[in-house]
Amino acid sequence: MKLLAFGKIAEIIGKQEIEIENFPNTDILVGYLQQQYPALKDLKFSIAIDKKQVNGNISIATGAEVALLPPFSGG
Amino acid sequence: MDRFERQYILPGFGPASQQKLRKTSVLIIGAGGLGCPALLYLSAAGIGKIGIIDGDVVSLSNLNRQVLFGKEDLGKNKAETAAKIIQKKYNDIEVEAFPYFLTKENILGIIQNYDLIIDGSDNFHTRYLVNDACLIAGKPLVFGAIYQHEGQVAIFNAKGPHSINYRDLYPIPPSAREVPNCNETGVLGVLPGIIGTWMAAECIKYLTGYGNSLEDKMLFYDLQNHNSYQVQLAKNQDSNQSRPKNHSELQEMDYQDFCGLSAQTDWEAALSLLKNANHSVLVDVRELGEQPELDDIDHLQIALADLPNSRSQLASFQNILLFCQSGSRSLKAVDMLKSQFPDKNIQSVEGGILRYLFD
């Protein structure tokens, strides 16, 4: 699956786009990412699967595109 | 012919859309990097009445992106200065300036007189305040925000409670320390120029029905590679958890606290912030010569009574930590400084110097 990251999340992961193995749902994916990149634990973000925002723990279809969307405050 | 002729003749827009703009009022929150371009284009497009609220004054470091202002405007209030410039350009629209910051006390009274609200503020607690007030007052909200080389734009609350609002995306606010703003991380002036112009475009499209607006959607943009990403937003059952539902609940909110900006901190957290965060400063607000002195940490000395005149000394800092003898004067000092700098993290160190030296 493809993972897209924005803002500070992309800084932490080091890339805006990475290919990773498939994860069955968003909770497992986030848990894995927090383990790989502990700094993510301190961040709030929303999740989109195939360009649609999802809330709660949602299953991820094989080959889906998952985006991590942090809030920005600057103006 | 009038100054809107090119808009009349645009297929799909026409005189009827122009008439809608003429009859509409828009409030722009923040005459900053986003507010300046939004204001320029909305006034040029012929929005009938535009309000501008900003309690800040123009400073030198604003000029790379707040393109309405020049060197002769340094030190002047942004809302009043912007309103004067726009009114001079166009005498056929009404321009109203609010030369103070938005608060939970004044927000509902101000937004009720406008049809649409544009949020170009630069901090989370204002963004949540604006979102919540727009929900209570039933006002559509054009949202825009930036981070380094990226921006995001959305229209919230387009059709009342069934529409998406900011809390559907972020029910739990990030702390101000989690996501720095432009004052801390820097920004190329063109990025808020692009995002602020998109906000103006979304405002015009929403008001006239021209094209497809970003209602219930968020558009992300990256200046470095021109990548954009549009997300369909979804209602979130957590969004109502701590949201004030009416005027009196709004008055009970403490937005600074809600966004992790509590007025007090302890020495351990304060010292860690001073060491790790850029643009941080420690200030002794006691009178000169009060004992004991703090001699092992760099700090400024500005007595409580002198704080209202210390703007230029403190303007460049983002985290301002205040201490006194035992922590009560520094708590007062937090209130005084927050009214001058609502977007900064200002905290009193609990227990003052006595706790630092003797605990």
Side-chain angles (χ1 to χ4, degrees), chain B residues 19-187:
Chain B
Q19 198 51 32
K20 280 183 192 159
L21 297 186
R22 168 100 222 130
K23 287 183 176 160
T24 302
S25 56
V26 171
L27 177 71
I28 299 179
I29 295 167
L34 297 170
C36 283
L39 178 57
L40 278 165
Y41 277 100
L42 289 175
S43 57
I47 298 284
K49 177 183 164 189
I50 302 181
I52 310 152
I53 179 161
D54 201 321
D56 201 6
V57 296
V58 179
S59 62
L60 194 59
S61 66
N62 297 151
L63 299 186
N64 82 317
R65 61 195 185 283
Q66 301 180 14
V67 292
L68 273 169
F69 310 124
K71 279 198 158 175
E72 70 278 15
D73 300 316
L74 296 179
K76 294 183 190 163
N77 173 267
K78 291 181 186 177
E80 286 175 339
T81 307
K84 245 180 236 162
I85 293 166
I86 297 301
Q87 196 71 82
K88 196 177 164 204
K89 279 163 71 83
Y90 311 113
N91 62 6
D92 56 353
I93 61 170
E94 191 184 334
V95 185
E96 191 175 14
F98 302 92
Y100 41 79
F101 290 109
L102 211 51
T103 63
K104 63 184 180 185
E105 288 83 14
N106 67 24
I107 187 166
L108 290 172
I110 295 171
I111 68 174
Q112 68 174 0
N113 298 319
Y114 288 86
D115 300 318
L116 181 144
I117 313 302
I118 293 194
D119 183 2
S121 65
D122 62 358
N123 59 80
F124 285 118
H125 51 92
T126 303
R127 293 190 178 283
Y128 277 88
L129 168 67
V130 171
N131 180 73
D132 295 351
C134 283
L135 258 72
I136 292 170
K139 302 291 178 181
L141 170 62
V142 175
F143 172 97
I146 54 172
Y147 175 74
Q148 292 192 356
H149 48 87
E150 294 173 67
Q152 52 187 205
V153 183
I155 304 181
F156 295 131
N157 203 34
K159 295 196 170 66
H162 300 296
S163 297
I164 303 297
N165 71 80
Y166 193 54
R167 284 179 185 256
D168 288 311
L169 257 168
Y170 306 112
I172 304 168
S175 74
R177 292 171 204 99
E178 187 178 313
V179 188
N181 66 21
C182 317
N183 298 341
E184 297 162 274
T185 70
V187 67

Side-chain angles (χ1 to χ4, degrees), chain B residues 180-222:
Chain B
N181 66 21
C182 317
N183 298 341
E184 297 162 274
T185 70
V187 67
L188 284 179
V190 288
L191 176 68
I194 292 167
I195 300 299
T197 304
W198 282 8
M199 291 164 77
E202 285 309 308
C203 175
I204 292 167
K205 286 161 62 186
Y206 173 83
L207 292 170
T208 60
Y210 182 75
N212 301 315
S213 79
L214 286 171
E215 241 179 272
D216 297 349
K217 297 186 186 87
M218 184 171 265
L219 177 61
F220 286 76
Y221 172 74
D222 188 334

Side-chain angles (χ1 to χ4, degrees), chain A residues 4-8 10-11 16-17 42-46 48-55 65-67 69-75, chain B residues 33-34 121-124 127 145-148 150 152 166 168-170 172-174 178-179 222 225 229-236:
Chain A
L4 301 179
F6 295 83
K8 202 165 178 187
E11 276 170 38
Q16 292 180 319
E17 188 177 324
D42 301 329
L43 296 187
K44 318 280 184 310
F45 53 86
S46 191
I49 301 178
D50 294 330
K51 301 193 171 176
K52 291 189 172 75
Q53 182 195 343
V54 295
N55 302 306
E65 179 185 80
V66 177
L69 313 170
F72 302 159
S73 71
Chain B
L34 297 170
S121 65
D122 62 358
N123 59 80
F124 285 118
R127 293 190 178 283
I146 54 172
Y147 175 74
Q148 292 192 356
E150 294 173 67
Q152 52 187 205
Y166 193 54
D168 288 311
L169 257 168
Y170 306 112
I172 304 168
E178 187 178 313
V179 188
D222 188 334
N225 48 31
Y229 184 82
Q230 201 178 120
V231 191
Q232 177 66 51
L233 305 177
K235 289 303 281 180
N236 185 340

Side-chain angles (χ1 to χ4, degrees), chain B residues 300-348:
Chain B
L300 299 178
Q301 179 98 41
I302 307 171
L304 188 66
D306 298 329
L307 279 177
N309 307 315
S310 61
R311 191 182 168 90
S312 56
Q313 244 180 308
L314 295 172
S316 62
F317 296 104
Q318 191 58 32
N319 298 297
I320 302 174
L321 298 154
L322 308 163
F323 75 94
C324 60
Q325 200 74 355
S326 61
S328 76
R329 271 178 290 173
S330 53
L331 201 53
K332 256 187 223 150
V334 170
D335 283 342
M336 290 167 69
L337 283 181
K338 277 212 167 145
S339 61
Q340 281 190 64
F341 301 116
D343 59 332
K344 294 187 190 299
N345 174 33
I346 302 166
Q347 291 181 300
S348 155

